[in-house]
Amino acid sequence: MLVWFVILYLLLSIMIGVYAATRVKNSRDYVVAGRSLPIYIVTATVFATWFGSETVLGISATFLQEGMHGIVADPFGSSLCLILVGLFFARPLYRMRLLTIGDYYRRRYNHVVEVATSICIILSYLGWVSAQMTALGLVFNILSGGQIDNQTGIVIGAAIVLLYTLFGGMWSVALTDFFQMTIIIVGLGYIAWVVGDMAGGAGVVIQHAAEHGKFNLLPALNPRDIVLFLAAWTTMMFGSIPQQDVFQRVMSAKDEKTAVRGSILGGSLYFLFAFIPIFIAYSAFLLMPDMVNRFLSEDAQLILPNLILERMPIFAQVMFFGALLSAIMSTASGTILAPSATFTENILKVFVKFKSDKHQLLAMRVVVVIFTCGIVVFALNSQMSIYAMVENAYQVTLVAAFVPLAAGVYWRPATTQGALLAMILGIVTWLGLSYADPDGFWPPQFAGLLMSIAGMVVGSLSPKQLVHRGHHEPRHEPAT
């Protein structure tokens, strides 16, 4: 019955995606859903930005091992990212009527900055999307009782997500996100109620976690721990802001007020609901300590699925795996579309002149297929955990793309020379420390961020401008 439910659920998701494809008439429809989404769908799709495999499987496993201190990056940093986007970036970027975040760097600086930042943004998606595909492979392996291995499961999952994302683009992402968010909230809420009751009630679970120091968030008061804490927080909080999937979800709103409110609401909901899998996992620790300790030493990501299969009735199993698949697929679809749109609009379009918007739309779909194939290869060969892949995904955008974006919006003296120097110093510092001293006092990505800030200030205030700021006339934009 569980397997048949999963098959039915996957078919329903594909049907929603295919229906959404009927709304796609041009590349703007494909990338930002024609800038027409109402507040409830924007909130749902922003919520779904981060609520993926790492939220259900990764964060909960990390909390059991390290407590609150171990999940600073996600959900604390990631939820604040979405809220900061709503407070400080949604309104000015929405008014510019951009197709991708890469378009901003072209208009504010020049083509060189546009291409360089777009490459960094695209590379950052390798770990993020691979984490979702790895989780899909894990789910199919568990549901099939081992008959489908993880590698085959990754390929099957990627094919399903590709099928409904390829034709409908952001319309498919938005409509399936709304459906999947409903499943997540209802499914995980029900599981938390059942498991918490089995463990003696929410009060017992929370008190036990508190007594064992699991709620200690702040670092020890010494310079090394403080720097590590700030590095973990800022990697997701700032490094995820200049991201195409965040941008396209917010920019799909019907007006700028909806963009602002949807981003803030989506980020706040994400923060609240990210603690439900944590609660379920800690309840599992009280119910089945031997099983939990065994998987903590083997693969902590298997704790929740095995708890559900061993101790829950069939209806609870259906709700849990429905919510888990919803979380993974809602994140994967948007993160497949985002780098593909960025590559087509901000790199390929620089070198290839499309005859019409239809040709550009076709190119985007071809790139979606190629990128998905690349992600499958990366996921099949990655040895990192789901949480590690997500946490490491946005270091490159933190050191290369965040400072040029933030300075460009809020610091008038920012110049193209400053942006280029910020990117160069940030990337060189990050890569250099990652190779020479990855476990030193300064985390490589945090040192890269500081050097990126210094590069922007020095480069912009330098009296001799080696490069000129780009013109603000946009290239031909797709029809609205």
Side-chain angles (χ1 to χ4, degrees), residues 184-330:
I184 291 169
I185 292 174
V186 174
L188 289 182
Y190 172 75
I191 294 296
W193 176 69
V194 172
V195 175
D197 186 62
M198 293 173 64
V204 172
V205 177
I206 294 171
Q207 182 179 354
H208 190 279
E211 290 174 351
H212 287 76
K214 294 297 183 180
F215 294 146
N216 295 332
L217 174 65
L218 298 178
L221 295 179
N222 63 73
R224 167 66 175 167
D225 286 344
I226 292 174
V227 169
L228 288 175
F229 178 83
L230 292 175
W233 198 309
T234 55
T235 298
M236 285 290 286
M237 181 170 60
F238 293 150
S240 302
I241 289 177
Q243 284 296 330
Q244 175 62 20
D245 60 324
V246 176
F247 172 87
Q248 68 191 22
R249 293 171 191 266
V250 176
M251 295 304 116
S252 297
K254 63 179 182 179
D255 54 51
E256 64 182 62
K257 285 186 178 179
T258 302
V260 172
R261 294 170 182 172
S263 183
I264 295 172
L265 286 174
S268 301
L269 280 176
Y270 173 76
F271 181 76
L272 294 175
F273 279 93
F275 284 94
I276 293 181
I278 292 174
F279 175 81
I280 297 172
Y282 203 82
S283 298
F285 177 73
L286 298 184
L287 288 171
M288 306 173 67
D290 293 337
M291 182 273 287
V292 171
N293 288 324
R294 174 164 59 89
F295 281 117
L296 282 175
S297 61
E298 296 175 4
D299 187 351
Q301 296 163 163
L302 296 174
I303 291 173
L304 285 188
N306 280 276
L307 165 72
I308 301 303
L309 289 174
E310 292 183 22
R311 297 293 295 269
M312 295 291 107
I314 187 65
F315 179 73
Q317 294 178 23
V318 167
M319 296 302 291
F320 174 78
F321 283 101
L324 178 57
L325 283 170
S326 294
I328 297 169
M329 293 170 65
S330 62

Side-chain angles (χ1 to χ4, degrees), residues 32-93:
V32 289
R35 292 166 61 98
S36 60
L37 300 182
I39 181 66
Y40 62 93
I41 293 185
V42 174
T43 300
T45 195
V46 169
F47 168 87
T49 305
W50 302 139
F51 210 105
S53 59
E54 75 292 342
T55 311
V56 180
L57 302 177
I59 292 177
S60 58
T62 304
F63 178 82
L64 288 176
Q65 294 170 311
E66 304 177 33
M68 199 81 78
H69 183 72
I71 58 172
V72 171
D74 191 10
F76 289 92
S78 53
S79 57
L80 275 174
C81 160
L82 299 174
I83 293 171
L84 290 175
V85 167
L87 291 175
F88 299 106
F89 295 95
R91 195 178 300 274
L93 293 180

Side-chain angles (χ1 to χ4, degrees), residues 311-354:
R311 297 293 295 269
M312 295 291 107
I314 187 65
F315 179 73
Q317 294 178 23
V318 167
M319 296 302 291
F320 174 78
F321 283 101
L324 178 57
L325 283 170
S326 294
I328 297 169
M329 293 170 65
S330 62
T331 299
S333 58
T335 47
I336 285 175
L337 176 63
S340 304
T342 300
F343 178 83
T344 306
E345 170 71 8
N346 303 114
I347 298 178
L348 187 61
K349 197 172 181 179
V350 173
F351 304 101
V352 177
K353 302 301 180 183
F354 297 114

Side-chain angles (χ1 to χ4, degrees), residues 116-133:
T117 51
S118 296
I119 291 173
C120 293
I121 290 169
I122 291 168
L123 290 175
S124 72
Y125 281 98
L126 288 175
W128 179 261
V129 190
S130 294
Q132 313 312 314
M133 298 309 171

